[in-house]
Amino acid sequence: MPARIRHVVVVALAAVALLAAAPRADAQGTLTVYCSVQLEWCQAVANEFTRQSGTKVSMTQKGSGEVFAQIKAEAANPRADVWFGGTGDPHLQAAEEGLTTAYQSPNLGQLHPWAVRQAEQSGYRTVGIYMGALGISFNTELLKKKGVAPPRCWADLLLPAFKGEIQMANPASSGTAYTAVATLVQLMGEAKAFEYLKQLHASINQYTKSGTAPVKAAARGETSIGISFVHDVITEAMAGFPVASATPCEGTGYEIGSLSIVNGARNLDGAKKFVDWALTAPAQALGARSKQFQTPSNRSADIPKEAPRLAEMRLIDYDFKKYGSSVERRRLLDRWEKEVNSLPR
């Protein structure tokens, strides 16, 4: 072979070898995040991580039930690297089903015990980043015009005055609504809880896709009452809407909003760096700066003065291990669909 041709062949082979060895450009320079908190917080997180790390973030915002379903559907060819936020139950189910990957961040020691417990229960496939209590939102002006006292208990929602006046999300798509179903089961016992849900169904005017939709509807006068996390009520009230909240007198559940790395993440190094960053106090302060008032999991993070005071609420001993399991979550959702959602209203 002539020397010139031999040289060209060697250069070409070297180029092919380099291309084969090089990671894909999108895996190096972009982090794909599925985000299950409100859009403003998602955007703040994406922008700040990009500013600090130089890594471009491709962010998609969806409810936690929707994200779980999407990650499961994409398991053979994962498209996301990180799942940020949303109720912990579907994160735990994803961990159990091997849809997320184990990672012990060096920043775990900075977190409250409830956040670390979430990590331990999942085999370190998810970790708590915030906590928030479930409650009842209501439009103060609408109820005043109707001459009806605001609901203060779960039992109040069954009063005739509230028939057709309540919104709740669909628990299959919304972690907020699944938390409500699991809360009622733990509070009342399963048989009584499903009888309650059947009676409540008659007063529901819409099952929304998103867990925040009911409080937004109540704030804007589109419905009188929503079943919501109480921190979301504060966000709407601060925006000037006539909305307030109550945590049910019988007791209520809560969420541990979680953070997971998707199994098979294309940008695993970037995902680990994102988790390390997201567990720091400055990163968690982005929630309050985005007018989201959950309680942060980092012990050094300031709790916003507007945030609900969890110590003043009657919180149940929520069993995340049981109600975050694949079998239990699927069973309750199936039962709700067959026995509640199938009923006429």
Side-chain angles (χ1 to χ4, degrees):
M1 181 184 294
R4 182 178 177 183
I5 295 176
R6 186 165 57 249
H7 174 73
V8 170
V9 171
V10 169
V11 170
L13 289 173
V16 169
L18 284 171
L19 285 171
R24 289 171 52 180
D26 61 352
Q28 284 292 301
T30 300
L31 188 74
T32 300
V33 178
Y34 291 165
C35 186
S36 296
V37 295
Q38 294 216 38
L39 184 60
E40 297 83 356
W41 192 358
C42 295
Q43 292 172 334
V45 165
N47 293 340
E48 186 62 18
F49 183 71
T50 296
R51 188 187 71 80
Q52 292 191 26
S53 68
T55 301
K56 181 181 177 182
V57 175
S58 174
M59 181 79 74
T60 300
Q61 193 271 344
K62 290 183 178 181
S64 52
E66 288 183 276
V67 171
F68 171 75
Q70 185 167 353
I71 289 174
K72 188 168 184 176
E74 296 170 353
N77 183 26
R79 298 181 182 179
D81 300 303
V82 174
W83 179 8
F84 179 88
T87 53
D89 297 305
H91 279 268
L92 289 169
Q93 185 178 352
E96 182 186 345
E97 295 187 17
L99 299 173
T100 50
T101 195
Y103 175 58
Q104 294 190 49
S105 170
N107 293 332
L108 281 174
Q110 299 179 25
L111 307 184
H112 286 290
W114 49 263
V116 177
R117 193 177 310 117
Q118 186 85 338
E120 292 171 345
Q121 287 182 346
S122 69
Y124 298 95
R125 291 175 182 267
T126 194
V127 62
I129 51 173
Y130 59 79
M131 180 189 281
L134 185 70
I136 303 166
S137 57
F138 50 87
N139 186 293
T140 55
E141 291 182 354
L142 284 179
L143 294 186
K144 186 176 181 181
K145 287 178 183 177
K146 294 174 186 293
V148 179
R152 299 294 178 187
C153 305
W154 292 113
D156 292 343
L157 297 182
L158 302 183
L159 294 173
F162 299 136
K163 186 174 177 63
E165 296 289 334
I166 302 171
Q167 280 191 18
M168 173 179 166
N170 187 311
S173 62
S174 162
T176 305
Y178 176 76
T179 300
V181 172
T183 291
L184 292 166
V185 168
Q186 293 172 80
L187 188 65
M188 301 176 180
E190 188 168 329
K192 288 184 178 179
F194 271 86
E195 284 305 311
Y196 173 89
L197 287 166
K198 290 173 189 176
Q199 294 178 62
L200 181 66
H201 178 79
S203 295
I204 299 287
N205 59 52
Q206 184 182 356
Y207 289 111
T208 62
K209 193 173 184 179
S210 160
T212 58
V215 65
K216 290 180 181 292
R220 288 154 183 78
E222 298 163 8
T223 191
S224 296
I225 297 168
I227 296 175
S228 322
F229 285 117
V230 292
H231 49 255
D232 291 328
V233 182
I234 292 171
T235 301
E236 299 301 321
M238 288 186 65
F241 293 104
V243 66
S245 69
T247 49
C249 66
E250 302 95 335
T252 195
Y254 58 96
E255 66 169 335
I256 295 178
S258 298
L259 172 64
S260 306
I261 296 175
V262 176
N263 194 21
R266 292 177 296 178
N267 191 350
L268 183 57
D269 288 343
K272 291 178 178 179
K273 290 175 183 176
F274 180 89
V275 169
D276 294 343
W277 170 81
L279 296 182
T280 65
Q284 294 191 0
L286 293 172
R289 281 166 52 185
S290 305
K291 295 184 171 56
Q292 309 300 310
F293 300 110
Q294 291 92 326
T295 298
S297 68
N298 189 296
R299 288 181 282 107
S300 298
D302 292 333
I303 298 176
K305 66 181 187 300
E306 301 89 349
R309 294 300 180 237
L310 300 179
E312 299 172 5
M313 300 175 187
R314 189 174 182 180
L315 300 179
I316 67 171
D317 185 14
Y318 196 103
D319 189 341
F320 289 96
K321 185 173 183 180
K322 178 176 180 179
Y323 292 95
S325 71
S326 298
V327 171
E328 189 66 8
R329 185 171 182 270
R330 190 179 301 112
R331 187 183 68 80
L332 286 180
L333 290 175
D334 287 346
R335 183 171 183 181
W336 181 85
E337 187 63 41
K338 292 173 183 175
E339 297 185 18
V340 179
N341 199 33
S342 62
L343 297 174
R345 291 203 301 274

